[in-house]
Amino acid sequence: MMQITGWSSTAMAARYEHVTGGILADVAQRVGGLIREVAKATDEGGPAGSEEAR
C-alpha cells in the first residue's frame, strides 16, 4: 500500500488505520469494477488494449 500511495513512512499509513470495514468494502468493490472494465476493454481490443493507451 505504501508503494502504491507513495508514502515513505509507516506514520502516514497509521493516519489512515481508522478506515471502517464499510469504506474498505466500497473501495474494494469500486477498484474491482475498474479492473474488470479494463480487462473487458482489453479482451475486446478497446482503448485499454491498444497501443495508443500504453
Side-chain angles (χ1 to χ4, degrees):
M1 179 67 181
M2 288 180 54
Q3 184 177 11
I4 291 170
T5 58
W7 298 334
S8 58
S9 73
T10 56
M12 283 298 295
R15 293 180 66 187
Y16 295 94
E17 287 180 349
H18 65 279
V19 177
T20 65
I23 292 172
L24 290 174
D26 181 52
V27 170
Q29 183 177 17
R30 291 173 188 233
V31 170
L34 292 172
I35 291 170
R36 284 188 293 277
E37 285 181 30
V38 170
K40 182 178 178 182
T42 301
D43 289 345
E44 295 173 353
S50 70
E51 289 298 317
E52 291 178 10
R54 292 180 189 171

